[in-house]
Amino acid sequence: MEMTFRWYGRNNDSVSLEDIRQIPGTSGVVWALQHLPAGEVWPLDQIMDEKKYIESHGLNIDVVESVNVYEDIKLGLPSREQYIENYKTTIKNLAQAGVKVICYNFMPVFDWIRTNLHKPLDDGSTALFYENDEIKNATPEQIVNRILENPSYTLPGWEPERLAQIQEAIQQYEAVDTEQLWNNLQYFLEQIIPVCEQHDVSMAIHPDDPPWPVFGLPRIISTADDLERLVNLVDSPHNGITLCSGAFGARSDNDIPEMIRTYKDRIHFAHIRNVKRFENGDFIESSHRSQDGSVDIVSIVEAYYEIGYKGYIRPDHGRHIWNEQCRPGYGLYDRALGIMYMLGIWDKLDKGVTS
Ligand code: DNO
């Protein structure tokens, strides 16, 4: 297992590489060329420049999150051919720099969704919160307007340029149902996985967050059955998974340790975080500690240990604690605490004592 930490780049993150270097047991950052819009080729010189900067801080660049998939590919439009070619070039360029894993998702229009990014918890911290009724009763425009009015309300994939055309973006999916979305994913993977094999880079799909359809848009990576279908779309170890315990954990019927055991050869990247589920379907992101949420993080780390996991792990989101001003969910403090919790479990297992 290799511990990593997500970092948004020199101009986009309150957390510095110097900070990350000081988190015990952490050897790499999970990075991206954030300024490039989805669909564009990542130029080799820019990749090399970022690599040099990150490596000069003693951290590796093995994992990229995300190379976003352009909407035309998810929609299966004829224009996808060019965007798939661009994606292949980006894979080759990243491989040349030594990247091993590319995280991506296939969620239509939106990436992850929450309704409140600063919900107060009993201990005085705040965290990301999802309220089912808010999403059910609000139109996408209402949610989008709320984001545009409040600059701190930004999530990845919610760039203002994209949001301005949200209505149009959603309408395009009227012609794409769940089956069609699967076909479009298969088409994409059939084209890119041979390139990954040739250059020894693994793709790792991130599950839907939340793991159910929102705003009537199809979502296809939400359950163990979906993972089964995914791995069979293209039967190659390079067609892999980012197993996000927080995203899958929003559903009580997802048995995450079981998923880890079943898909052990396809998990290249693990996002580990906890969520506390409420009976009405709402959930809040709690600390990583098992007792603080509904997801048993101890069992999850044990499952990774048991399969001899050699891939990358990162703490996923954290709460906002100790008055930290940061990107929602991406502060230094709570994520660093999460790392220490996970490493504590791992080290104990290394000593041969299973909880
Ligand atoms: C949220 C993240 C997601 C993830 C993408 C991967 O914090 O886990 O935004 O990066 O879905 O493509």
Side-chain angles (χ1 to χ4, degrees):
M1 165 291 278
E2 188 155 343
M3 189 58 75
T4 59
F5 198 83
R6 192 175 196 179
W7 180 66
Y8 279 91
R10 280 169 257 196
N11 306 316
N12 281 312
D13 206 317
S14 57
V15 183
S16 68
L17 292 177
E18 286 83 359
D19 294 335
I20 297 171
R21 182 87 195 282
Q22 291 171 15
I23 306 171
T26 303
S27 48
V29 291
V30 173
W31 62 285
L33 295 180
Q34 300 287 348
H35 60 282
L36 295 177
E40 274 189 25
V41 172
W42 291 22
L44 187 58
D45 58 337
Q46 290 188 35
I47 294 172
M48 289 304 186
D49 183 55
E50 202 66 350
K51 170 185 164 82
K52 200 168 147 204
Y53 184 73
I54 295 170
E55 288 182 348
S56 73
H57 289 78
L59 294 158
N60 75 57
I61 55 137
D62 296 1
V63 185
V64 163
E65 178 177 353
S66 304
V67 180
N68 287 323
V69 178
Y70 196 67
E71 227 51 44
D72 292 18
I73 298 177
K74 295 182 238 171
L75 286 160
L77 299 177
S79 47
R80 68 180 158 180
E81 304 303 338
Q82 182 58 50
Y83 292 108
I84 292 176
E85 284 312 309
N86 290 356
Y87 209 100
K88 288 183 191 168
T89 307
T90 297
I91 293 171
K92 288 181 204 157
N93 289 349
L94 288 171
Q96 205 171 321
V99 167
K100 300 278 174 244
V101 174
I102 297 175
C103 172
Y104 71 108
N105 74 74
F106 219 71
M107 290 179 252
V109 187
F110 295 98
D111 194 316
W112 53 309
I113 294 181
R114 299 290 181 272
T115 54
N116 183 348
L117 301 186
H118 295 282
K119 169 86 172 168
L121 293 164
D122 289 345
D123 60 10
S125 61
T126 66
L128 301 159
F129 187 41
Y130 179 92
E131 295 142 290
N132 241 338
D133 284 349
E134 282 262 333
I135 294 286
K136 280 195 191 130
N137 300 331
T139 62
E141 289 78 18
Q142 283 168 327
I143 298 280
V144 165
N145 285 336
R146 196 194 301 173
I147 301 162
L148 294 175
E149 278 160 20
N150 180 354
S152 75
Y153 202 112
T154 50
L155 295 174
W158 293 40
E159 302 79 15
E161 318 78 75
R162 270 162 55 90
L163 293 180
Q165 288 150 19
I166 204 81
Q167 189 60 45
E168 200 188 321
I170 291 178
Q171 263 166 12
Q172 284 187 294
Y173 278 91
E174 279 167 14
V176 180
D177 61 11
T178 302
E179 278 311 300
Q180 194 55 46
L181 191 61
W182 274 112
N183 292 340
N184 297 343
L185 175 59
Q186 178 158 16
Y187 187 88
F188 173 62
L189 290 173
E190 278 172 352
Q191 303 233 4
I192 63 163
I193 294 300
V195 178
C196 293
E197 283 173 341
Q198 210 183 335
H199 295 272
D200 198 21
V201 177
S202 293
M203 296 301 294
I205 196 165
H206 189 283
D208 306 327
D209 185 357
W212 49 76
V214 284
F215 304 128
L217 294 163
R219 288 194 150 191
I220 55 175
I221 309 291
S222 301
T223 64
D225 287 349
D226 297 338
L227 289 183
E228 185 60 26
R229 186 161 175 184
L230 179 265
V231 298
N232 288 312
L233 287 182
V234 174
D235 189 13
S236 158
H238 292 84
N239 170 27
I241 300 165
T242 296
L243 203 120
C244 178
S245 69
F248 281 125
R251 285 175 71 135
S252 59
D253 57 346
N254 278 334
D255 180 342
I256 297 161
E258 188 54 34
M259 286 175 169
I260 295 167
R261 287 184 205 105
T262 309
Y263 298 105
K264 56 175 187 253
D265 299 328
R266 295 292 187 97
I267 302 171
H268 303 305
F269 190 22
H271 285 183
I272 301 191
R273 74 177 152 87
N274 209 338
V275 287
K276 189 173 167 56
R277 297 184 297 262
F278 300 98
E279 272 180 11
N280 63 359
D282 295 355
F283 60 86
I284 190 150
E285 299 192 359
S286 47
S287 96
H288 280 71
R289 193 170 185 232
S290 284
Q291 290 88 328
D292 290 344
S294 310
V295 177
D296 186 358
I297 300 296
V298 174
S299 301
I300 287 174
V301 176
E302 278 176 348
Y304 281 115
Y305 191 88
E306 200 184 296
I307 64 165
Y309 184 62
K310 298 275 185 304
Y312 302 89
I313 298 187
R314 74 167 174 86
D316 205 8
H317 314 147
R319 299 162 301 147
H320 316 113
I321 61 173
W322 305 333
N323 295 318
E324 187 176 16
Q325 303 298 314
C326 56
R327 246 170 205 280
Y330 282 99
L332 172 63
Y333 307 141
D334 204 36
R335 286 189 297 157
L337 290 178
I339 287 186
M340 290 310 289
Y341 185 66
M342 294 188 269
L343 291 180
I345 300 166
W346 194 273
D347 290 350
K348 185 74 176 165
L349 293 165
D350 254 346
K351 285 198 146 192
V353 185
T354 47
S355 69

